[in-house]
Amino acid sequence: MSKTTTGTSAEDTPPAGPPGEPAPAATPSGEPAPAKTPPGEAAPTAETPADDDLGAAGSQLSTAPTETSVPGSFGGNRAPGLAGRLAWTGREVFGWVRWFWRQLTSMRVALLLLFLLSLGAIPGSLIPQTGTDAMKVDAFRQAHTTLAPLYDKLGLFHVYSSPWFSAIYILLFVSLIGCIVPRTWQFTGQLRSRPPGAPKRLTRLPAYAVWRTDAAPEEVREAALQALKQRRFRAHTAGDAVAAEKGYLREAGNLLFHIALIVMLIAFGWGQLYKTEGDKLIVEGDGFSNTLTQYDDFKSGNLFDDDDLVPFSFDLKKFTATYERNGPNKGTPRTFEAALDYSEGADGEVRHRTVKVNEPLEIGDAKVYLVSHGYAPTVTVRDGKGNVVLRQAVPMLPLDANETSQGAIKVFDGYRDAQGKKEQLGFSAFFVPTFAGAGKGTMFSQFPALDFPVLALGGYHGDLGVDAGTPQNVYQLDTKNPNLKPFKDAKGDILKSRLLPGETMTLPNGAGSITFEKDIQEWAGFQIVQQPATGWALTGALAAIAGLAGSLFIQRRRVWVRAVRGADGVTVVEVAGLGRSESAKLPEEIGALAALVHDKAPTHTDADADRPDADTPVPAEGAETQ
């Protein structure tokens, strides 16, 4: 009859003490009274059995550093005299620095800094940033005269370059490095060392099994060693027991997670320092070369240099957009793509590529994204003598999803009025690709496609103000400029007109004309992004996920199989296990291992098997019968 038992708790039966010592007293409920903790020793925890005999067997299941509480005086008693004062001060300073370093490199502080870093990034997404959109920051300052000075003092308009955000970032970086380095050396030492020998009393471990066998102890240990190696344990024979350990990937995953965080932080910082981001609006038929002067808007990191731009160029050959005509998604784009001819370097081969939304053109470290679209009606402006002073497709900026657009037509040079005087012309323009129809009271487009295009113009003449050196928006006309006067119609009102393709608005007093040509171009807006270390950031993120999964789902545990010959000459086999944390899988694994060893060393049978109560297994001390 087998007398194999597997234990999951050491609380069901009072453990027997060493020979000559009384057993622990029991409480009125029948449970053993808790052992008193000797002065100066730590109380037992849930993860460490209350047994001094565990020794090295219960240690180093984790590479986590020991955290210290708030210290007192590190200098101890101060010796008299100047030398004693200096020695005491040095010990105090060194002690406090060491304590602060231990706190900074603790897991608790690292998680706190990581939380503060994510919390500090929130204002950067809610409040306009000077590095992203300086015009929005100026508008915010004008609209919030009370909050803006406070935000300036706190650095909320440039969060990611503010001193407080940089301090959190650097402290987190130092904390992670200070946490990883000692853990790595400790874990390397654990990998090079053998699993510790078995403790004196295996009955105190949370998972335990025992039986008696006729096999020799050496045979049992050899069978246990083979069974453990088959189950991919690191195992060796230590004295009268086989010691084995498994689950090193838990600590490896923990270290991998921390190293991946450092890689992500480095990649993030490197990308922010060397990144570039610019926007460019290109009309069909026009091109772009990746130089600073070609951008409509450009932002870069603090360490960016002009030579870091990837050399390439491209031409927008054709933009194609189609839209849903019916149903609840009417007006939604079905096709949205730009056909480009591009080349790398100064003399690179010309290649063709179609760029779509979320399908950018990648050239080296640079990516060209298609981000916007609009129309560019072609206009022809003539002076009073009929000479053409301007003929070009003028981009209009959309105001809504149906491509209702607004823009400005400006003539800076070459125009003369009827008297031959040099002037500048300006036209405020309003374009709709699908007009609602005359008499319907609206100039808003009804559909984004070119079904019924109409161009509304208002004419002005005088000085546009560009010669003064003041920057101005090329897509807006400053009608408040005192040097810019409107053309007047016969009624004395501002000259305005709605034009269909091919129609002309004549300026009064022989000042010339402007014609809305039938050739309506389309334009596409591109965002050119160059951010190094994105591959490292992605690798770090994937490694962090893998490391976190390993540290959460892999259990590190130790197993011992002891085989000794009893006083009656029969071998007693004990199998026990200890995990870093409580888990239901550990008893199951101990039971499976005990079954494998039991097949090679079956239970001893003797005359006691004929007793009436022999069918009831006798549990070992500190074990739970299953």
Side-chain angles (χ1 to χ4, degrees):
M1 178 61 65
S2 173
K3 295 182 180 180
T4 303
T5 58
T6 303
T8 58
S9 175
E11 299 178 356
D12 296 319
T13 55
E21 295 185 7
T27 61
S29 62
E31 298 180 357
K36 294 183 179 179
T37 303
E41 295 186 8
T45 63
E47 294 187 2
T48 305
D51 193 349
D52 296 338
D53 295 334
L54 287 180
S59 65
Q60 295 184 351
L61 274 174
S62 171
T63 57
T66 303
E67 296 187 4
T68 58
S69 59
V70 178
S73 175
F74 295 98
N77 296 327
R78 185 172 61 191
L82 178 60
R85 180 182 294 274
L86 292 176
W88 179 86
T89 303
R91 290 194 301 268
E92 281 287 304
V93 172
F94 178 77
W96 279 105
V97 170
R98 185 179 180 184
W99 176 84
F100 177 79
W101 175 254
R102 288 181 176 178
Q103 301 307 307
L104 179 61
T105 57
S106 66
M107 182 63 65
R108 179 177 60 252
V109 173
L111 291 176
L112 178 62
L113 290 172
L114 188 62
F115 172 74
L116 290 177
L117 189 70
S118 57
L119 192 66
I122 294 177
S125 59
L126 299 179
I127 300 174
Q129 302 293 292
T130 53
T132 304
D133 196 334
M135 297 181 64
K136 284 187 177 180
V137 174
D138 294 337
F140 186 91
R141 285 195 174 100
Q142 296 176 4
H144 303 83
T145 56
T146 304
L147 283 178
L150 178 62
Y151 285 2
D152 278 324
K153 293 181 179 179
L154 296 177
L156 297 183
F157 290 124
H158 50 91
V159 169
Y160 303 112
S161 60
S162 62
W164 58 267
F165 190 86
S166 301
I168 297 174
Y169 183 87
I170 295 174
L171 284 175
L172 177 60
F173 191 79
V174 174
S175 177
L176 290 175
I177 293 180
C179 183
I180 287 175
V181 172
R183 278 177 173 238
T184 303
W185 286 114
Q186 184 178 351
F187 183 60
T188 303
Q190 293 179 15
L191 290 177
R192 298 176 62 183
S193 63
R194 289 187 170 188
K200 294 181 180 179
R201 289 183 288 181
L202 296 177
T203 56
R204 290 297 186 93
L205 299 183
Y208 176 74
V210 62
W211 71 92
R212 291 155 53 87
T213 181
D214 292 327
E218 294 78 7
E219 297 177 0
V220 175
R221 289 193 287 268
E222 182 64 26
L225 187 62
Q226 294 179 2
L228 287 167
K229 289 184 176 180
Q230 288 176 0
R231 300 176 70 86
R232 298 189 301 276
F233 276 84
R234 290 180 58 199
H236 72 106
T237 302
D240 58 0
V242 176
E245 189 167 3
K246 190 178 184 180
Y248 286 94
L249 288 179
R250 178 188 181 98
E251 293 301 324
N254 193 10
L255 293 175
L256 178 62
F257 174 74
H258 287 80
I259 294 174
L261 286 181
I262 292 181
V263 172
M264 292 174 63
L265 287 175
I266 294 176
F268 174 78
W270 189 271
Q272 291 297 315
L273 290 173
Y274 288 95
K275 74 172 184 179
T276 64
E277 181 179 311
D279 299 314
K280 180 62 178 180
L281 186 152
I282 304 176
V283 180
E284 289 177 328
D286 292 342
F288 169 79
S289 180
N290 194 25
T291 58
L292 288 180
T293 56
Q294 290 281 302
Y295 284 95
D296 296 332
D297 181 38
F298 185 82
K299 299 180 290 293
S300 64
N302 295 332
L303 299 182
F304 164 77
D305 187 82
D306 295 356
D307 296 334
D308 296 332
L309 286 175
V310 178
F312 69 90
S313 61
F314 65 86
D315 295 330
L316 175 61
K317 308 304 293 185
K318 179 68 177 178
F319 181 87
T320 303
T322 59
Y323 307 90
E324 290 286 348
R325 289 285 178 177
N326 302 295
N329 296 324
K330 181 180 179 180
T332 303
R334 297 180 58 186
T335 305
F336 205 78
E337 58 188 30
L340 304 181
D341 286 344
Y342 73 98
S343 61
E344 301 181 33
D347 302 318
E349 178 184 356
V350 177
R351 303 175 183 176
H352 180 75
R353 171 69 186 274
T354 299
V355 178
K356 303 178 182 179
V357 178
N358 297 326
E359 296 182 13
L361 169 64
E362 298 186 21
I363 305 175
D365 290 336
K367 293 183 179 181
V368 181
Y369 293 90
L370 176 63
V371 294
S372 58
H373 157 259
Y375 292 100
T378 303
V379 296
T380 301
V381 180
R382 294 178 173 84
D383 61 12
K385 297 181 178 181
N387 300 320
V388 176
V389 294
L390 176 70
R391 179 182 175 84
Q392 70 177 35
V394 182
M396 300 288 168
L397 301 183
L399 302 177
D400 57 25
N402 286 329
E403 299 292 338
T404 302
S405 306
Q406 184 178 15
I409 303 170
K410 300 179 181 181
V411 180
F412 298 109
D413 300 312
Y415 172 78
R416 293 177 182 270
D417 60 9
Q419 288 75 31
K421 179 181 178 183
K422 291 184 177 181
E423 276 191 321
Q424 294 176 337
L425 297 180
F427 300 89
S428 59
F430 210 77
F431 176 79
V432 291
T434 303
F435 184 48
K440 294 189 177 181
T442 179
M443 190 58 186
F444 287 95
S445 178
Q446 306 301 302
F447 195 74
L450 287 172
D451 293 344
F452 188 8
V454 171
L455 178 65
L457 298 174
Y460 295 82
H461 65 101
D463 185 4
L464 295 175
V466 293
D467 298 332
T470 304
Q472 57 179 255
N473 193 330
V474 297
Y475 303 106
Q476 292 181 353
L477 186 67
D478 184 12
T479 57
K480 296 181 180 180
N481 181 1
N483 298 321
L484 193 63
K485 300 178 182 180
F487 286 106
K488 299 295 183 69
D489 58 13
K491 298 180 179 179
D493 298 326
I494 298 177
L495 180 65
K496 295 181 179 180
S497 179
R498 290 178 179 174
L499 304 178
L500 295 176
E503 294 184 345
T504 300
M505 181 177 76
T506 302
L507 303 179
N509 302 321
S513 64
I514 179 170
T515 301
F516 177 24
E517 304 292 346
K518 295 181 179 181
D519 181 20
I520 301 176
Q521 301 289 330
E522 297 188 53
W523 60 262
F526 297 92
Q527 185 178 67
I528 298 92
V529 178
Q530 185 174 328
Q531 187 166 1
T534 54
W536 285 102
L538 177 60
T539 302
L542 296 177
I545 294 174
L548 183 61
S551 63
L552 291 177
F553 298 108
I554 298 176
Q555 180 188 8
R556 188 174 177 186
R557 62 271 194 201
R558 289 172 178 160
V559 174
W560 295 274
V561 179
R562 173 175 285 151
V564 295
R565 195 174 297 278
D568 56 356
V570 179
T571 301
V572 179
V573 182
E574 295 178 287
V575 181
L578 176 64
R580 178 178 174 181
S581 58
E582 295 182 0
S583 173
K585 293 183 179 181
L586 182 61
E588 296 176 3
E589 192 167 31
I590 294 300
L593 176 63
L596 291 176
V597 179
H598 185 271
D599 292 341
K600 299 294 182 66
T603 303
H604 167 73
T605 57
D606 53 19
D608 293 338
D610 298 331
R611 293 188 289 108
D613 59 346
D615 292 337
T616 304
V618 179
E621 293 175 333
E624 176 180 298
T625 303
Q626 289 188 347

